[in-house]
Amino acid sequence: MVIATIIQTASQSINMFIGARFLIGFGLTFASNAAPLLVTEIAFPSHRAQSTALYNTMYFLGSIIAAWTTFGTFNIRSSWAWRAPSALQGLPAVIQIGLLWFVPESPRWLIGKGREEEARRTLAYYHADGNEQDPLVEYEFEEIKTAISLDRDVSANIGWTSLVRTRGNRRRLRVMIAIAFFSQWSGNGLTSYYLNKVFDDIGITNPTTQLLVNGILSIWSLVVGLTGSLLCDKAGRRTIFLTSAIGMIVFWALQTACFAVDSQTGNITAGHAVIVMIFLYQGFYGCAFVPLNVAYAVEILPFSIRAKGFTVFSFTISVSLIFNQYVNPIALAAIGWKYYLVYLFWLCFEAVFIYIYVVETKNRTLEETAAIFDGDETVAQISGNAAITSGTGNEKMEVISKSEIEHAH
């Protein structure tokens, strides 16, 4: 990404610029696939969901920096109007290069490779102030070992076909692929990638005004994303997803109506109302499909297929983005506000799908969450074996709960 940023900033032609963008995306793929897996596997148990949700929500922090940087450089009377934002995007990669040496390896990966003592030390360092005999560390260690052992017993050869080999995995795959598409096909492509085209259609053509609204929308999106991240364990994933879907239906319908009135009558008030509805719609979209789409996809996968499953999830998002890039502008130019009706019907489908298939996962450990799709017996087997192996069954569980609370504080 650093090399690609240098190439983009120094671009002398559109082909050189596009080539640099390709390289940035290539490098980003490695980071974006590895980061949420490590975050969710290293986070303190009672912080795991919020940490993973906040990870993806931080996308908006970059969006805010990008939006306000371009707002600030827009009036520069030279090529630095676009070279400066291009150069700035290399800063996060430089920071990563400096800090990655201090990042731990996943304890689940270490146990899977037979490096159990390293895994125990990692868990102790991050979850118990270095105390390897802490009840929480002992329970987590045995739970991870049990889950990995169970996965190996089920399938000694973990390949790509394992994603569809069992009923539980097929249920996971169905939900993951659906959420991946929902995260990009909920109309958000029109309110992000083609927001300027929407502005033009409703009569807001001043570039400064467009950049200003875009910058404010990025800040608003960060606020609602943080809210959804912090509430994911209290409210529950299923509740937030359903609330998001219903809210998007309501405000997308109102946005469609306002857009239609503006298009047919030229009513300025209706055109301005579209902006208001975009903000309200974005609030409901951002509280679920930014913080929870990655967090939910990662936590429902057992360790043995977590990386492969998340790769499928990321690939699905990439495929859905291709649709956004090529179909949305053509359809919007061809049928105008009527194209919004397509997304309205799709949002209704999303709400029904979420109600039927999305399973609640709050207040469970990572291993228990992943096992939900395999049935209650698997959940009980993992947690029961871990409690027995680590010490004293139910009494041990009570100590662990107290330990979690103390460490969380």
Side-chain angles (χ1 to χ4, degrees):
M1 286 189 283
V2 172
I3 293 172
T5 296
I6 294 172
I7 295 173
Q8 180 178 325
T9 305
S11 292
Q12 301 298 314
S13 67
I14 187 64
N15 290 334
M16 188 174 177
F17 187 91
I18 292 174
R21 296 299 300 166
F22 172 82
L23 289 176
I24 289 173
F26 182 77
L28 180 63
T29 299
F30 289 92
S32 60
N33 277 2
L37 301 181
L38 183 57
V39 169
T40 200
E41 291 179 5
I42 203 68
F44 191 79
S46 58
H47 301 162
R48 175 181 54 78
Q50 295 93 327
S51 297
T52 312
L54 286 169
Y55 153 79
N56 208 46
T57 302
M58 287 301 104
Y59 158 84
F60 285 122
L61 181 59
S63 177
I64 290 170
I65 295 172
W68 288 102
T69 299
T70 53
F71 181 79
T73 63
F74 174 71
N75 291 318
I76 295 177
R77 302 299 180 183
S78 72
S79 63
W80 282 101
W82 59 266
R83 291 188 195 276
S86 297
L88 184 62
Q89 70 184 341
L91 181 59
V94 172
I95 294 173
Q96 283 182 306
I97 290 173
L99 297 181
L100 274 173
W101 312 104
F102 304 99
V103 173
E105 187 54 84
S106 162
R108 289 163 179 81
W109 182 84
L110 291 171
I111 291 175
K113 297 298 182 181
R115 295 157 61 178
E116 296 185 358
E117 290 307 311
E118 291 181 60
R120 187 188 292 274
R121 285 197 298 270
T122 301
L123 287 170
Y125 181 83
Y126 286 95
H127 295 178
D129 298 326
N131 181 10
E132 296 185 22
Q133 280 71 50
D134 187 280
L136 175 60
V137 172
E138 292 181 9
Y139 180 83
E140 283 189 290
F141 182 78
E142 294 301 335
E143 185 181 45
I144 294 170
K145 284 182 61 179
T146 300
I148 291 176
S149 175
L150 182 62
D151 289 337
R152 284 172 174 166
D153 290 341
V154 171
S155 178
N157 181 23
I158 301 296
W160 287 96
T161 57
S162 60
L163 292 172
V164 295
R165 187 173 298 160
T166 67
R167 182 172 179 270
N169 285 352
R170 289 192 293 271
R171 291 175 63 196
R172 293 182 180 96
L173 195 64
R174 175 176 59 200
V175 172
M176 279 194 314
I177 290 176
I179 289 178
F181 277 117
F182 294 169
S183 70
Q184 301 301 323
W185 284 7
S186 294
N188 53 303
L190 296 180
T191 60
S192 56
Y193 304 113
Y194 295 98
L195 186 57
N196 289 350
K197 177 71 172 78
V198 174
F199 285 151
D200 292 339
D201 289 343
I202 60 177
I204 300 176
T205 56
N206 185 290
T208 301
T209 303
Q210 291 183 354
L211 288 170
L212 182 62
V213 174
N214 187 44
I216 296 173
L217 185 60
S218 295
I219 296 174
W220 167 242
S221 297
L222 176 62
V223 172
V224 296
L226 291 174
T227 303
S229 299
L230 297 176
L231 291 177
C232 62
D233 263 344
K234 292 183 179 180
R237 281 65 144 175
R238 177 180 166 84
T239 299
I240 294 177
F241 271 127
L242 281 173
T243 301
S244 172
I246 294 170
M248 285 192 296
I249 290 172
V250 172
F251 290 107
W252 190 266
L254 293 174
Q255 184 183 163
T256 303
C258 293
F259 197 178
V261 171
D262 176 77
S263 299
Q264 295 177 346
T265 67
N267 188 301
I268 297 177
T269 303
H272 291 170
V274 170
I275 304 301
V276 177
M277 296 307 157
I278 287 176
F279 272 81
L280 294 173
Y281 156 83
Q282 189 66 31
F284 281 95
Y285 169 83
C287 72
F289 285 98
V290 173
L292 295 187
N293 61 335
V294 168
Y296 193 79
V298 169
E299 71 182 5
I300 66 175
L301 289 164
F303 173 77
S304 60
I305 61 170
R306 186 167 291 140
K308 290 182 174 64
F310 191 70
T311 298
V312 172
F313 175 82
S314 300
F315 177 77
T316 305
I317 287 181
S318 298
V319 171
S320 61
L321 282 171
I322 293 174
F323 179 91
N324 281 351
Q325 293 291 330
Y326 293 101
V327 176
N328 279 342
I330 296 173
L332 196 59
I335 59 178
W337 69 268
K338 294 179 182 178
Y339 183 52
Y340 277 58
L341 293 174
V342 175
Y343 279 112
L344 182 59
F345 294 136
W346 178 257
L347 286 170
C348 293
F349 167 76
E350 286 185 15
V352 174
F353 183 96
I354 291 170
Y355 180 79
I356 295 174
Y357 294 113
V358 170
V359 178
E360 185 54 72
T361 60
K362 69 175 182 177
N363 299 325
R364 293 179 181 270
T365 67
L366 187 57
E367 275 64 40
E368 289 172 352
T369 298
I372 287 176
F373 286 79
D374 297 316
D376 293 337
E377 291 183 2
T378 303
V379 176
Q381 184 177 354
I382 290 175
S383 58
N385 287 352
I388 293 171
T389 307
S390 62
T392 56
N394 292 333
E395 293 179 6
K396 190 71 154 187
M397 293 295 290
E398 292 179 8
V399 174
I400 290 167
S401 299
K402 291 178 182 178
S403 178
E404 276 201 44
I405 294 171
E406 289 170 1
H407 285 300
H409 286 304

